[in-house]
Amino acid sequence: MNTQKRVIMVGGGLAGLAGTIRIAEAGLPVDLFSMVPVKRSHSVCAQGGINAANDIARQQGYSEYEHFDETIYGGDFLQHQPPVYEMVHWAPKIIDLLDRMGVPFNRTTESQRDLRLFGGSLYKRTHFAGATTGQQLLYALDEQVRRWEAQGKVNKYEYWEFLWPVLETDDSGRRCVGIIAQDVRTMQIRAFRAEAVVIATGGCGMIFGKSTNSVMCTGAAASRCYQAGAWYANGEFIQVHPTAIPGADKLRLMSESARGEGGRVWVPRTKADRRDPRDIPENQRFYFLEEKYPKYGNIVPRDIATREIFDICVNQGLGVGGGNMVYLDLTHLGREYLELKLGGIIEIYRKFVGEDPALVPMKIFPGVHYSMGGLWTQYTAKDDLRGMAMGSANSMMTNIPGLYAFGEVNYQYHGANRLGANALLSCIFDGLFCGAGVANYVLEVVTTTSARLDQSVYDAAVRQQQEIVDRLINGRGMESPYQIGRELGEEMTAASTVVKSEQRLLQAIEALQQLQGRYQSIGLSDTGMWTNQNLCYARALGDMLKLAEVILQGGIDRKESRGAHYRTDFPDRDDANFLKTTVAKYDPDTGRPEIFLEPVETGLVPPRARTYGKVAASTETSRPTETVSV
Amino acid sequence: MASIIAGFLDRHYFLIRRLHSLTGVFPIGVYLFPHLATNSSIVWGKLLNESKLPAGQLESLGIAAHAGVETFQHEVNFIHSLPGLVLIEIGLLWLPIAYHGLLGIYFAGTGRSNVDRYRYQDNWRYTLQRITGYIGVLFIFIHITSLRFGWTYWGLMPAFDPQAAASSTAQHFQQSTLGTTFIAAFYLVCVLALVYHFANGLWTAAITWGLTVSVHAQRRWGYVCGAVGLMLAGATVVSVIGFSRLDIDAARQIEQVMRNGPAGAARHVEPGGSDVLSASPDGRDP
Amino acid sequence: MVAPTTEALQTRSVRFRIKRQDRPGLPWRWESFDVPVEPGANVISCLQWIAANPRTIDGRDSNPVAYDAGCLEEVCGACTMLINGQVRQSCSCLIDQYAPKDGDVMRLEPMSKFPVVRDLMVDRQRLFHALTRTKAWVPIDGTYHLGPGPQDTPQSQQVRYKLSECMSCGCCLEACPQYKLEEHESRWDKAFIGAHAISQARLFNEHGTGNVLASDRLETMIGPGGISDCGNAQNCVKVCPKDIPLTESIAAIGRAVTIHSIRKFFTGK
Ligand SMILES: Cc1cc2nc3c(=O)[nH]c(=O)nc-3n(C[C@H](O)[C@H](O)[C@H](O)COP(=O)(O)OP(=O)(O)OC[C@H]3O[C@@H](n4cnc5c(N)ncnc54)[C@H](O)[C@@H]3O)c2cc1C
Ligand code: HEM
Ligand code: SF4
Ligand code: SF4
Ligand code: FES
């Protein structure tokens, strides 16, 4: 057995890879686990770009501080401010680093890195590589990890699914000492030892059935940690992106960069206008975002744009052809410009819809996109709150020592609403900044190496997972996991996305409990023990059901509206009671979440009203009143 | 043994592959130009109609002049007059061909055509390159052994006589037990295959060596190679037709006149017979 | 409500003939399923339907077909398979285009150049191994802040960006007549490396710092299984879903190795 101290990284998206690189660089071997080859991680989907203060914006009065302020304002003041402060100050350095790694950022004629506008900012501060920025960043990190792998410092376990963290309790308390994982091809279940485990498993869009996420984004890994005792925070904050194209199997994103580059959102002024959009004259088009938000126009933050689109379609019935769609118009931008700046998404639209966005306005509608919530984590602020203490061992550590959360699965940085192009930043920042903390924890804090721990700890954990598998394989029930999964998605989308209400959420909890009941009697059509995807899905479904409850319960308990969380019965922000993090603790006896609120560190920018310069609209109401789904 | 060869191949893999590419173009490919030019002279020589024989010599014998036969014989004579011909043949032709051909067979075996699934024009091009390569090995073997070493393949391929170049070649085409059409068709298919193989090889060689990088450059070079191929194909067709239809007796008499003066034409000598071999190589100047 | 549900859609049925194999070493078989398809359906949505309703056309209960998928928008490369005999991504394969009429048949098979894990899922590890062989990375000094990377013109950025879009899907390898199935890892270092890796060698040789490893990469390209094994069939460029100029990369690396080997001949390194 290898007695050297080592770290387990679960997840090979941007966060996992960045963390792997930093930890390997600190001299520790890393075992990198991913359900899919890391190069195919969900981060590959990110399109629009990554934010950072830059020289041009600086000369217009922008700086890291404005980036910080925008992020907090965009997040409706729900984030702890020191980590955000640190992150935005790292942003320009991260861009430089990515540049050095060879990311082909778009260039200006003078060979400078090109910039574009993005939601929630009036300054160009988004760096991009065509419209496949996430892909380009992921590949750059993947290449660096391959380099470490070639040197034997990183071991990849691709097609291995994380099943459970192994916890060990001694006099000093409980800590994480490894994981149980399963090879999803051979179905072998095994324990892996490590001094620290980082969870970087991304979002949970699959809980909503169709979303802009990849199929692995079930949130199951986070849910397993939660069930093992890690806290889950702000689950109710789910970002619904305003511009996606509906599909049979997923909602494909049309990046915010389409609007950042000048795309305009509109609907015909008359209801159910069935004319070809190109035949509708300018004065009969309702550019509702531009009219209501003259300052930000089409680049208001996502929660606002989404609610406005929802309002136009659902409450006012102004959607295209009377349906649930609005136009996102790029036709005035010219083909060459579009190919250069937005090629990737233009291609997606063309492939999946069969129309050319350079010629015809795109038809889009909001889709579930991102989870601001995630595993609860800690940090050590600098004394003046301006940033985090470098190398602190608790940086983004969950409430379980030795168990960390990086990336989308970490609840920090984005508060109640994430600004576009800040996620890629937070993922890489977590990896680079907090990776150093993980290394310090392992090297300096951990005294007993996991290699010296008793095998029985691991054996017991393996047995527990084996039992779950056996139960699923041997279940003879008639319920289909796919059916339950579909119903879960439909219910969650209907009850807990753009607009919510107590009554609807309670109804959803009830529906969820029924689904959980039915889950107990599922039967698998595949009971073999080789590459059984049926089993993997069914197991993840059980964990999704648990996490769904956290999302719903958080929504019920948060009796206010803030950022992406909009309650028709409590339409205003309530700082007095809810400028707090919702923290969910799993109760093993009831199987239900126990929720408590934790204050937010707002010591740098005091909360202010979040209006984005909204003016009275030409149409009467802009506040969604419906909660029913369509 | 196998492992020694494998080790050698591994170490010099690139050199071996590039030599293969090189030998395809030069000398073998380049050789095709004079070779097909010579062969087709049987027709273009006639068209140019510049008989060098003294006027009236042939008429006195009652033979129609055929400048093609003269030109062809003249070209062949030139080649055979080269000092150390065998060495040149071995060094510049047979060895390179053997190298290119044998390795070609081996390399062709490393690929597996899939035109059934991917019916792209380029894929056909690739596949044909392999097929024409195989045809080429077979053909070149038969061609050299019969026309150079006199293997007659049980009468299927009457042998070549450098002294009576045109007539013996015509015999090779016309006096096979399989009939003129068969041999003509055989030549046409095989030589056109080789012409294709060369033209396409010229095109791919430019990629292999990195001369044509952009798609545009590749396309433009494609036109050039196409033109080269068409030219060689034209020469091939012309040669085959020319020899298939040549009047053997008349040709032989012209050759004899060239070799021995008008008197010689009366003697009837079997091609390849000792009589001929003892004669002076230069027909005009005995 | 988020995604608009289209009103009661007219569905029709398409027959899927799927080549199945339970695990390596076991014999394969064909299984057929009739799947109701809505407009806009793609192969993945049909496979999802089959997973939920795994009953063959002769009424036999089967089990979900194993396949790889990730992004569902043709950027991750996971879902590559043979559809009606040709390689492509299944997520972007719209049924309306492939099987426009009721009762049309679609044939799904796993890629043939990689070992089958199960059904439509194959093991493409060799493809990633090729990236290691090519040293497809920029050897940076570390993650500390050392200022920006090398200057890059928009023209050069456009060239690199295009090359960098390769999603390691393997289409170019599947369609290549020179690329063959190699089950055993021990053979990977000498077997043909494939168009994608040649193109990646070009990508990193074009980068100011990546260039430091250029001669290592060219040495790999010169060796057995390197660029010489390409037979210029140019299938790769036609099947590449990202329109990566693979044949240009092949020629560019061809040129680079020509120069490299001549220089090596005269300078000894
Ligand atoms: C369509 C789209 C476009 C976006 N565009 C942008 C943008 O322009 N700018 C921006 O800033 N953000 C954008 N985002 C958000 C951003 O892409 C994500 O938040 C970010 O990529 C998440 O990265 P991650 O590293 O946390 O996780 P992921 O990239 O999701 O990676 C998760 C990893 O964990 C592994 N994993 C998961 N579960 C398990 C398990 N149980 N066992 C083992 N491994 C597991 C997976 O295999 C994967 O390797 C976009 C998101 C989407 C959906
Ligand atoms: C004798 C039998 C022959 C065989 C079996 C053969 C086979 C081949 C094969 C398989 C290739 C492709 C090599 C590769 O792309 O890696 C090839 C290339 C080529 N062959 Fe031949 N060949 C033969 C004869 C000839 C002849 C007679 C010529 C000349 C007319 C010729 C000219 C070429 C050329 C120019 C190339 C291109 C080399 C490159 O791509 O760099 N070959 N040959
Ligand atoms: S050009 Fe080369 S790599 Fe591409 S398909 Fe042909 S043989 Fe394969
Ligand atoms: S080059 Fe194209 S076909 Fe080949 S792996 Fe990359 S994206 Fe796929
Ligand atoms: S699922 Fe990612 S390419 Fe098809």
Side-chain angles (χ1 to χ4, degrees):
Chain A
M1 161 146 310
N2 200 330
T3 54
Q4 202 190 348
K5 285 183 171 181
R6 53 206 305 115
V7 174
I8 285 177
M9 180 63 70
V10 183
L14 286 175
L17 295 180
T20 300
I21 294 166
R22 191 50 160 248
I23 295 165
E25 203 172 271
L28 284 168
V30 182
D31 296 323
L32 173 57
F33 289 76
S34 174
M35 232 151 34
V36 296
V38 295
K39 198 176 176 179
R40 311 202 195 286
S41 292
H42 167 66
S43 292
V44 83
C45 293
Q47 302 169 341
I50 172 166
N51 293 334
N54 57 82
D55 289 345
I56 294 176
R58 270 184 229 286
Q59 294 169 53
Q60 299 166 350
Y62 191 82
S63 71
E64 281 83 353
Y65 187 82
E66 277 67 33
H67 186 186
F68 166 65
D69 183 71
E70 277 167 5
T71 305
I72 301 289
Y73 184 54
D76 227 347
F77 300 90
L78 197 63
Q79 335 52 341
H80 295 297
Q81 295 182 359
V84 180
Y85 193 92
E86 189 70 49
M87 173 180 83
V88 300
H89 281 81
W90 270 61
K93 300 184 216 167
I94 287 176
I95 302 290
D96 277 347
L97 173 61
L98 293 168
D99 191 16
R100 282 167 50 218
M101 288 176 179
V103 173
F105 285 115
N106 274 49
R107 301 284 166 162
T108 64
T109 40
E110 280 195 69
S111 302
Q112 303 296 319
R113 290 179 296 236
D114 204 356
L115 299 161
R116 66 163 49 129
L117 217 46
F118 236 72
S121 181
L122 296 170
Y123 298 88
K124 286 195 178 183
R125 48 110 165 94
T126 304
H127 303 250
F128 62 100
T132 60
T133 312
Q135 178 198 42
Q136 295 306 313
L137 304 195
L138 184 74
Y139 291 179
L141 297 183
D142 173 61
E143 289 145 11
Q144 294 301 321
V145 167
R146 188 165 291 108
R147 185 174 166 220
W148 283 108
E149 193 188 11
Q151 293 171 25
K153 294 283 171 44
V154 171
N155 269 315
K156 274 192 200 143
Y157 292 86
E158 288 171 329
Y159 290 109
W160 280 80
E161 181 172 0
F162 160 81
L163 299 185
W164 210 257
V166 180
L167 306 184
E168 188 249 3
T169 318
D170 60 17
D171 321 331
S172 53
R174 187 178 55 158
R175 66 182 180 111
C176 182
V177 292
I179 66 167
I180 306 301
Q182 179 169 36
D183 183 329
V184 298
R185 295 170 301 183
T186 64
M187 305 313 274
Q188 181 200 7
I189 296 180
R190 240 194 83 183
F192 294 86
R193 295 168 188 247
E195 280 54 52
V197 173
V198 183
I199 302 292
T201 51
C204 59
M206 291 301 285
I207 290 182
F208 295 81
K210 291 183 197 173
S211 75
T212 63
N213 288 189
S214 298
V215 295
M216 329 53 104
C217 302
T218 58
S223 175
R224 288 165 194 160
C225 293
Y226 153 72
Q227 293 169 67
W231 299 341
Y232 196 89
N234 285 347
E236 66 274 25
F237 290 97
I238 296 291
Q239 179 166 79
V240 180
H241 196 290
T243 58
I245 48 175
D249 49 348
K250 91 171 273 194
L251 311 175
R252 297 181 174 86
L253 184 75
M254 285 298 111
S255 163
E256 194 165 282
S257 51
R259 282 170 290 136
E261 293 291 357
R264 304 176 73 189
V265 175
W266 61 276
V267 287
R269 284 203 185 266
T270 37
K271 276 191 189 180
D273 190 333
R274 298 210 177 260
R275 278 178 293 174
D276 184 308
R278 287 167 293 185
D279 296 337
I280 300 178
E282 199 65 15
N283 63 358
Q284 291 174 34
R285 300 178 175 190
F286 184 17
Y287 293 96
F288 52 97
L289 289 176
E290 294 172 30
E291 284 189 20
K292 286 187 184 170
Y293 301 89
K295 198 165 158 203
Y296 285 82
N298 291 293
I299 51 160
V300 286
R302 292 175 180 171
D303 55 330
I304 294 177
T306 294
R307 274 195 295 276
E308 295 294 352
I309 292 173
F310 187 87
D311 179 55
I312 285 282
C313 295
V314 178
N315 299 332
Q316 303 189 37
L318 280 172
V320 173
N324 279 329
M325 289 206 236
V326 301
Y327 289 124
L328 171 53
D329 199 341
L330 302 175
T331 56
H332 54 291
L333 294 174
R335 181 178 301 282
E336 207 177 310
Y337 186 80
L338 291 180
E339 293 292 348
L340 179 66
K341 301 276 176 94
L342 299 171
I345 61 170
I346 301 291
E347 197 51 40
I348 291 180
Y349 194 83
R350 228 181 263 141
K351 270 194 178 134
F352 288 93
V353 182
E355 287 178 346
D356 185 351
L359 301 176
V360 199
M362 301 192 278
K363 290 195 224 112
I364 51 93
F365 196 73
V368 167
H369 181 58
Y370 182 87
S371 171
M372 274 73 71
L375 291 170
W376 181 91
T377 49
Q378 330 165 36
Y379 62 93
T380 305
K382 287 182 186 152
D383 292 340
D384 58 358
L385 300 183
R386 291 179 181 270
M388 292 195 278
M390 179 72 205
S392 166
N394 75 345
S395 313
M396 303 308 144
M397 188 191 269
T398 65
N399 54 311
I400 300 174
L403 183 66
Y404 292 79
F406 287 5
E408 188 169 339
V409 75
N410 176 6
Y411 92 111
Q412 301 271 7
Y413 310 112
H414 307 297
N417 171 62
R418 171 176 71 83
L419 287 190
N422 262 353
L424 300 184
L425 175 61
S426 65
C427 289
I428 298 175
F429 171 72
D430 264 348
L432 293 181
F433 185 92
C434 309
V438 174
N440 286 344
Y441 168 80
V442 171
L443 294 170
E444 286 159 22
V445 180
V446 176
T447 47
T448 344
T449 59
S450 59
R452 306 216 337 248
L453 294 175
D454 202 76
Q455 181 64 27
S456 63
V457 179
Y458 296 92
D459 289 346
V462 168
R463 224 172 305 119
Q464 194 192 345
Q465 290 309 310
Q466 194 61 56
E467 278 163 18
I468 294 178
V469 168
D470 291 345
R471 210 162 41 238
L472 285 167
I473 291 282
N474 299 327
R476 290 285 170 268
M478 295 304 289
E479 293 288 350
S480 151
Y482 300 101
Q483 182 58 31
I484 296 178
R486 187 155 76 234
E487 289 179 31
L488 169 70
E490 284 165 4
E491 184 64 13
M492 290 299 288
T493 302
S496 183
T497 49
V498 186
V499 287
K500 312 175 191 173
S501 71
E502 175 123 4
Q503 172 237 341
R504 187 64 187 87
L505 289 169
L506 286 171
Q507 191 186 326
I509 288 251
E510 209 167 294
L512 187 65
Q513 278 161 356
Q514 268 174 18
L515 290 177
Q516 283 170 344
R518 281 166 59 194
Y519 178 76
Q520 295 310 315
S521 45
I522 57 171
L524 302 186
S525 48
D526 186 354
T527 52
M529 279 314 254
W530 183 267
T531 322
N532 188 338
Q533 296 180 333
N534 198 206
L535 168 70
C536 293
Y537 179 77
R539 177 175 46 205
L541 178 65
D543 301 312
M544 285 155 70
L545 289 165
K546 297 275 190 215
L547 200 57
E549 199 166 351
V550 174
I551 295 170
L552 292 176
Q553 193 60 50
I556 292 170
D557 287 8
R558 184 172 285 279
K559 297 187 194 318
E560 65 156 353
S561 291
R562 182 187 296 273
H565 173 74
Y566 183 82
R567 287 272 300 254
T568 50
D569 40 358
F570 296 97
D572 297 310
R573 195 171 86 188
D574 176 359
D575 284 346
N577 294 306
F578 291 104
L579 185 51
K580 299 213 167 72
T581 304
T582 321
V583 187
K585 235 188 203 171
Y586 183 69
D587 180 346
D589 300 326
T590 62
R592 302 217 54 225
E594 234 173 66
I595 301 231
F596 67 91
L597 297 176
E598 188 205 46
V600 174
E601 175 56 75
T602 57
L604 295 172
V605 227
R608 59 181 187 272
R610 181 175 182 264
T611 62
Y612 284 95
K614 181 175 183 175
V615 297
S618 49
T619 40
E620 332 74 80
T621 171
S622 65
R623 180 165 279 170
T625 48
E626 295 279 323
T627 58
V628 283
S629 63
V630 223
Chain B
M1 185 61 196
S3 71
I4 297 175
I5 294 177
F8 182 81
L9 280 177
D10 282 1
R11 256 174 292 120
H12 303 287
Y13 193 69
F14 185 68
L15 184 66
I16 292 167
R17 295 292 313 224
R18 283 293 169 97
L19 268 182
H20 178 253
S21 172
L22 192 68
T23 50
V25 180
F26 185 89
I28 321 177
V30 171
Y31 171 75
L32 269 184
F33 284 96
H35 188 49
L36 284 176
T38 308
N39 294 347
S40 55
S41 70
I42 193 66
V43 170
W44 59 257
K46 177 172 184 190
L47 293 181
L48 288 180
N49 198 19
E50 284 173 4
S51 178
K52 299 245 165 37
L53 292 177
Q57 218 173 43
L58 291 174
E59 280 86 341
S60 68
L61 292 164
I63 320 165
H66 190 305
V69 173
E70 290 177 42
T71 320
F72 184 63
Q73 184 66 52
H74 184 73
E75 301 287 329
V76 171
N77 288 344
F78 167 72
I79 293 169
H80 283 257
S81 69
L82 293 174
L85 178 62
V86 179
L87 289 182
I88 294 178
E89 279 179 323
I90 292 178
L92 284 182
L93 284 176
W94 299 339
L95 275 183
I97 290 179
Y99 178 84
H100 183 92
L102 294 179
L103 273 178
I105 290 176
Y106 170 72
F107 293 146
T110 64
R112 187 124 148 255
S113 170
N114 55 12
V115 273
D116 50 333
R117 279 175 188 253
Y118 303 97
R119 295 159 199 271
Y120 308 128
Q121 192 192 322
D122 283 316
N123 204 15
W124 275 109
R125 214 182 28 62
Y126 162 90
T127 308
L128 278 177
Q129 181 74 353
R130 272 70 192 156
I131 296 173
T132 55
Y134 292 127
I135 295 177
V137 183
L138 201 76
F139 170 76
I140 292 175
F141 183 80
I142 294 172
H143 185 62
I144 293 182
T145 49
S146 67
L147 287 188
R148 181 73 174 79
F149 295 115
W151 297 12
T152 62
Y153 290 92
W154 310 280
L156 296 186
M157 305 242 164
F160 175 74
D161 169 12
Q163 305 293 323
S167 60
S168 64
T169 308
Q171 276 178 322
H172 181 74
F173 274 78
Q174 297 174 23
Q175 291 178 356
S176 160
T177 38
L178 289 171
T180 312
T181 324
F182 181 86
I183 297 294
F186 171 73
Y187 263 84
L188 216 52
V189 168
C190 292
V191 182
L192 285 181
L194 273 178
V195 165
Y196 167 83
H197 184 94
F198 171 63
N200 183 52
L202 205 57
W203 187 76
T204 58
I207 298 177
T208 303
W209 291 82
L211 298 173
T212 51
V213 173
S214 73
V215 170
H216 299 290
Q218 291 179 9
R219 191 175 313 127
R220 281 194 293 267
W221 180 239
Y223 296 142
V224 174
C225 296
V228 167
L230 281 180
M231 228 170 69
L232 293 177
T236 307
V237 174
V238 161
S239 318
V240 170
I241 293 177
F243 284 110
S244 303
R245 308 177 90 188
L246 188 67
D247 179 335
I248 299 175
D249 284 335
R252 186 175 305 126
Q253 287 180 348
I254 295 174
E255 288 156 1
Q256 283 172 356
V257 170
M258 287 174 76
R259 198 159 60 235
N260 305 329
R267 284 201 348 249
H268 188 87
V269 184
E270 275 304 315
S274 56
D275 227 347
V276 171
L277 285 180
S278 61
S280 143
D282 191 340
R284 262 176 298 166
D285 211 11
Chain C
M1 173 55 218
V2 176
T5 32
T6 354
E7 324 80 63
L9 285 165
Q10 261 209 319
T11 57
R12 61 197 173 83
S13 166
V14 166
R15 176 158 298 179
F16 280 82
R17 246 168 85 71
I18 302 177
K19 187 174 173 184
R20 303 199 59 176
Q21 182 176 349
D22 288 338
R23 58 156 83 198
L26 291 185
W28 58 268
R29 62 184 187 281
W30 290 102
E31 263 183 18
S32 296
F33 301 87
D34 282 336
V35 179
V37 296
E38 296 172 357
N42 58 43
V43 169
I44 296 286
S45 69
C46 292
L47 286 171
Q48 287 173 343
W49 188 91
I50 293 172
N53 308 275
R55 176 160 305 184
T56 64
I57 50 167
D58 26 69
R60 221 168 27 78
D61 281 334
S62 185
N63 48 30
V65 178
Y67 64 95
D68 246 337
C71 65
L72 305 188
E73 53 190 49
E74 208 186 74
V75 284
C76 79
C79 65
T80 314
M81 58 180 73
L82 302 187
I83 299 178
N84 293 349
Q86 299 214 352
V87 70
R88 64 162 296 158
Q89 276 65 53
S90 50
C91 66
S92 57
C93 178
L94 301 181
I95 308 296
D96 295 340
Q97 282 166 15
Y98 267 67
K101 295 192 303 295
D102 191 53
D104 276 349
V105 178
M106 305 226 2
R107 190 158 41 93
L108 308 184
E109 298 161 77
M111 294 169 91
S112 65
K113 305 289 174 79
F114 299 97
V116 172
V117 174
R118 180 174 179 181
D119 297 340
L120 302 174
M121 190 174 167
V122 295
D123 180 354
R124 278 173 282 183
Q125 193 52 42
R126 175 176 163 206
L127 191 157
F128 295 112
H129 178 82
L131 298 180
T132 310
R133 254 174 98 183
T134 328
K135 299 198 177 165
W137 53 71
V138 175
I140 57 166
D141 283 348
T143 59
Y144 291 92
H145 187 225
L146 299 171
Q151 285 273 318
D152 201 10
T153 62
Q155 288 77 13
S156 142
Q157 182 271 344
Q158 283 297 302
V159 172
R160 287 200 304 118
Y161 176 65
K162 195 70 225 160
L163 301 179
S164 185
E165 276 189 299
C166 168
M167 57 182 179
S168 300
C169 65
C171 285
C172 56
L173 309 176
E174 177 67 27
C176 172
Q178 293 289 118
Y179 195 87
K180 289 186 294 184
L181 174 71
E182 289 295 353
E183 304 255 2
H184 297 292
E185 203 174 334
S186 58
R187 303 253 319 127
W188 292 352
D189 277 333
K190 285 192 187 164
F192 183 33
I193 198 161
H196 76 300
I198 297 174
S199 192
Q200 291 288 304
R202 176 182 177 208
L203 167 64
F204 288 96
N205 284 1
E206 297 259 322
H207 185 263
T209 316
N211 191 274
V212 168
L213 297 176
S215 64
D216 288 15
R217 295 193 191 100
L218 296 179
E219 282 297 315
T220 303
M221 291 301 149
I222 278 176
I227 191 168
S228 308
D229 280 5
C230 162
N232 290 309
Q234 306 209 329
N235 288 354
C236 48
V237 75
K238 298 195 185 67
V239 296
C240 173
K242 297 281 124 183
D243 294 327
I244 292 170
L246 294 167
T247 45
E248 293 192 3
S249 293
I250 289 168
I253 291 295
R255 172 179 292 183
V257 290
T258 303
I259 297 168
H260 173 78
S261 48
I262 292 173
R263 188 170 48 215
K264 201 166 97 173
F265 183 81
F266 287 109
T267 65
K269 56 176 187 279

